[in-house]
Amino acid sequence: MRQLLLLLRKELLELVRTKRAMVLLIVFGIFGILNPALAKLTPWMLSLMGESLAEQGITFGAITVDALTSWTQYFKNLMMEYILILAMFSSIFAQEYQSGTLVNLLTKGVSRGKVALSKLLAVQLTWTVCYWLTFLVTLGYTAYFWENALPAGIWLAAVCAYMMGVWLLSLELAFASALNSGMYALLLTGGVFALFFALGMLPQLTRFLPSHLGDGLGLLTGDMASSDILPALWVSLALSATQSALCVVGIRKKQL
Amino acid sequence: MDVLEITNLNKRFGERTVLQDLSLRVPEGAIYGFIGENGAGKTTTMKIILGLLAADGGEIRICGEKVGYGQTRTNRFVGYLPDVPEFYGYLTPREYLALCGGLAGVSSDTLRKRADELLELVGLSASANRRISGFSRGMKQRLGIAQALIHRPKLLICDEPTSALDPAGRKDIIDILRAIKSETTVLFSTHILPDIERVCDRIGLLHGGRLALSGRLEEVRAMHAKSGFVVEFAEESEAVTFLSAYPGGEQDTPSKLLYPTGTRADMIAAMTKLGGMQLCPLKIEQREPSLESLFMEASAE
């Protein structure tokens, strides 16, 4: 346990000292502000463009903006959050493999599994903090501007979107622990996501696919029932556990 | 007692055989020079000892315990200094030693004292709280020794610790190895032979995947001892003049004379002759097999 805590501390210290933690917190904080801000500014922007659009024959009725508009924006921006966090951690194993920094630690008798586990924990912990930071900032501003800041279904939708990040990160780390290149790990993760996304074309499969966990907006609007998304949540949990185990296998097989 | 016992170790990379029935013993308290040309298999051997690489056959025991690939319990007996040790640049030496010591199971109470001791030993006390990212290669090598010794290992394995360093850096490392001799057994791989002569008491020469030569340094030298003596002059003309006055030798180089069968008495006679002729050589010495000649001899076989 002491070894795992020491390794986890090292990972977190790396995030802080290399300024990556700061960058992530700032960007995810900005995401949080952006969601309600965009919703708030939408009527103003449309009125700016209104005249020129009217000349082309496009006219608007009265635009109502409410808490739901802000949450719509939140779910639209999720993809950027996933890409950012995946890009940030794609080289977490490769940089150690390439520079040989793990050799000193492993020759102290540390098991490779603990090294993998410390990285998995550090990455998921970072994602948890970043994701819920964006959520809370969005929630705060939404509550400030509009009533009913927490529409029915928001918690389940938010947890599902969070789990999609957990699933994607554990998938990326499973690739990363077996490869010497962060870029390949990122591309393969993108490839698997695209594959799941393509499978989603079959309507009977959609509710089981973790790639659709970010589509929870329907829960807020009433277009979707919780039974439409819960199976995918369980699948994402099972896959995340399996992929984390594969990440440990990957580092064990790695020749250093 | 032998700290390290290697018995009939085999390793192949594809078609290429790197180690072939390699057997080697390192007794407690030795500084063992592990010599071999580039690509002879020194690093491969060390990686197998550390459990970083799987062997194809044979057995390794450290302090009597068998070494296995991957799960490396025996590493608690071992300190390892890679040829180019790499560190986390965002940590300070003190933090890095605390990490390594903690991972190796050193208790928190003793860790700080031990880290200070080692930083003093390797001459990094003044930089103990600076980030490692700004360190020179020599400083990193010295920190590498400190991290390898943090848990007081029974066996210190150094993979070409001096190869990448300038003469001053090399001297520092050799001095540190000498200083820790009483504390730990050292296995020291290199192809820089003067370093071996300065610090090692035993050698093993790896060639063709097995030990071509091994034993105590002086014994190995004695086994390959050569008779004769050498006289070296500053000028070729002096060498020629002396050779004609004192025959029986040959010109090894234009200004260097070799008397291959010369005895001790012959050498004294030669010195008397030199005095009589008012000739002052650069040096006159009994022939001793240099490690270099042993190396070349064994490598040529």
Side-chain angles (χ1 to χ4, degrees):
Chain A
M1 195 62 190
R2 184 181 173 208
Q3 286 183 331
L4 185 61
L5 287 176
L6 279 165
L7 289 169
L8 181 60
R9 184 173 172 270
K10 175 232 139 197
E11 293 296 333
L12 296 177
L13 202 60
E14 176 168 347
L15 278 172
V16 172
R17 296 236 175 121
T18 55
K19 309 263 192 301
R20 272 191 263 177
M22 194 180 72
V23 170
L24 283 172
L25 288 177
I26 291 174
V27 175
F28 277 80
I30 291 174
F31 279 143
I33 297 169
L34 221 53
N35 297 324
L38 277 176
K40 191 79 188 161
L41 294 176
T42 305
W44 175 71
M45 284 190 291
L46 287 179
S47 72
L48 273 188
M49 292 185 290
E51 263 177 43
S52 60
L53 288 172
E55 282 167 16
Q56 295 166 32
I58 303 170
T59 52
F60 297 101
I63 298 157
T64 53
V65 177
D66 56 14
L68 203 57
T69 323
S70 173
W71 288 116
T72 307
Q73 210 49 247
Y74 175 83
F75 286 98
K76 272 189 188 164
N77 284 340
L78 277 175
M79 198 46 80
M80 279 199 290
E81 294 180 32
Y82 298 138
I83 291 172
L84 179 69
I85 198 92
L86 287 171
M88 195 58 105
F89 288 114
S90 64
S91 298
I92 192 166
F93 283 95
Q95 69 190 19
E96 299 241 32
Y97 293 158
Q98 283 169 3
S99 64
T101 37
L102 275 185
V103 171
N104 289 347
L105 308 188
L106 293 177
T107 51
K108 296 284 177 300
V110 179
S111 79
R112 295 176 180 217
K114 280 186 189 152
V115 173
L117 210 55
S118 70
K119 289 188 185 293
L120 281 162
L121 282 172
V123 169
Q124 298 293 9
L125 194 66
T126 311
W127 167 240
T128 305
V129 170
C130 289
Y131 176 83
W132 292 108
L133 172 75
T134 307
F135 180 85
L136 288 176
V137 172
T138 303
L139 176 63
Y141 279 99
T142 306
Y144 177 74
F145 287 131
W146 301 284
E147 286 176 359
N148 191 22
L150 281 171
I154 182 67
W155 288 110
L156 178 62
V159 168
C160 285
Y162 164 72
M163 271 313 293
M164 180 162 151
V166 172
W167 166 63
L168 284 171
L169 283 167
S170 62
L171 177 65
E172 179 181 60
L173 264 64
F175 286 126
S177 80
L179 298 167
N180 277 333
S181 150
M183 186 50 84
Y184 284 144
L186 190 60
L187 286 175
L188 284 167
T189 308
V192 173
F193 179 78
L195 188 75
F196 271 76
F197 203 78
L199 283 175
M201 305 283 181
L202 304 168
Q204 61 271 42
L205 278 184
T206 315
R207 55 200 283 264
F208 296 102
L209 295 174
S211 50
H212 290 69
L213 282 170
D215 301 342
L217 183 64
L219 290 168
L220 281 64
T221 54
D223 298 333
M224 202 186 224
S226 58
S227 60
D228 293 332
I229 203 164
L230 275 174
L233 188 66
W234 306 133
V235 170
S236 76
L237 272 170
L239 281 178
S240 300
T242 313
Q243 287 157 183
S244 300
L246 284 174
C247 175
V248 173
V249 174
I251 194 174
R252 286 214 178 128
K253 298 265 177 223
K254 192 84 196 160
Q255 195 138 102
L256 296 168
Chain B
M1 183 196 141
D2 290 332
V3 172
L4 175 67
E5 302 166 69
I6 299 180
T7 317
N8 299 333
L9 191 66
N10 285 293
K11 178 72 188 172
R12 300 169 69 86
F13 286 116
E15 288 295 291
R16 205 166 70 89
T17 303
V18 182
L19 300 175
Q20 203 175 5
D21 286 329
L22 173 70
S23 294
L24 181 158
R25 301 249 174 298
V26 180
E28 195 166 6
I31 298 193
Y32 192 100
F34 193 36
I35 326 169
E37 69 261 33
N38 288 329
K42 301 188 294 287
T43 302
T44 304
T45 309
M46 295 186 157
K47 285 194 165 175
I48 299 174
I49 297 173
L50 291 159
L52 293 173
L53 209 60
D56 295 331
E59 190 186 82
I60 297 179
R61 284 179 181 272
I62 300 175
C63 298
E65 266 185 49
K66 203 174 159 191
V67 175
Y69 167 63
Q71 300 305 315
T72 45
R73 271 183 58 75
T74 41
N75 279 348
R76 70 187 190 280
F77 299 126
V78 184
Y80 176 54
L81 172 65
D83 49 352
V84 183
E86 290 295 340
F87 304 97
Y88 302 107
Y90 52 85
L91 294 180
T92 67
R94 186 165 274 137
E95 288 168 340
Y96 191 76
L97 291 182
L99 172 68
C100 290
L103 292 178
V106 181
S107 74
S108 317
D109 311 335
T110 51
L111 194 50
R112 197 178 165 85
K113 196 166 152 272
R114 178 71 180 151
D116 284 342
E117 246 172 56
L118 286 169
L119 288 169
E120 181 73 40
L121 172 77
V122 301
L124 287 175
S125 295
S127 312
N129 295 316
R130 259 176 60 195
R131 297 247 175 121
I132 302 171
S133 53
F135 277 23
S136 70
R137 205 158 195 176
M139 289 166 90
K140 283 186 181 170
Q141 210 77 12
R142 283 184 277 147
L143 179 58
I145 294 189
Q147 63 81 25
L149 291 173
I150 190 81
H151 55 307
R152 297 185 187 277
K154 297 249 187 244
L155 174 67
L156 174 67
I157 297 181
C158 307
D159 189 4
E160 309 210 357
T162 54
S163 300
L165 301 179
D166 61 22
R170 272 172 55 199
K171 185 178 176 302
D172 287 345
I173 300 294
I174 297 289
D175 288 347
I176 294 168
L177 290 181
R178 267 205 200 112
I180 58 170
K181 196 185 166 182
S182 57
E183 218 176 284
T184 179
T185 307
V186 182
L187 177 70
F188 172 29
S189 97
T190 188
H191 55 254
I192 303 179
L193 300 171
D195 288 350
I196 293 278
E197 293 187 304
R198 276 154 78 180
V199 70
C200 295
D201 45 29
R202 281 171 186 272
I203 60 163
L205 196 153
L206 189 62
H207 180 68
R210 58 180 75 191
L211 279 191
L213 202 64
S214 70
R216 289 182 164 280
L217 188 55
E218 62 268 32
E219 283 170 9
V220 172
R221 275 221 184 97
M223 263 163 52
H224 294 77
K226 288 175 178 169
S227 57
F229 61 92
V230 177
V231 192
E232 193 174 346
F233 295 94
E235 301 282 337
E236 186 183 350
S237 57
E238 291 175 314
V240 174
T241 314
F242 185 71
L243 186 59
S244 56
Y246 191 84
E250 57 196 62
Q251 269 178 296
D252 198 21
T253 64
S255 59
K256 189 170 159 188
L257 300 177
L258 172 65
Y259 291 83
T261 54
T263 59
R264 210 174 121 82
D266 292 338
M267 191 167 152
I268 293 170
M271 287 193 280
T272 315
K273 192 85 183 165
L274 282 168
M277 291 173 73
Q278 294 286 300
L279 277 175
C280 184
L282 286 180
K283 67 178 181 191
I284 174 163
E285 64 180 13
Q286 286 188 312
R287 265 216 297 175
E288 199 186 6
S290 68
L291 212 44
E292 195 176 340
S293 64
L294 291 179
F295 182 85
M296 299 307 281
E297 220 174 81
S299 303
E301 280 164 12

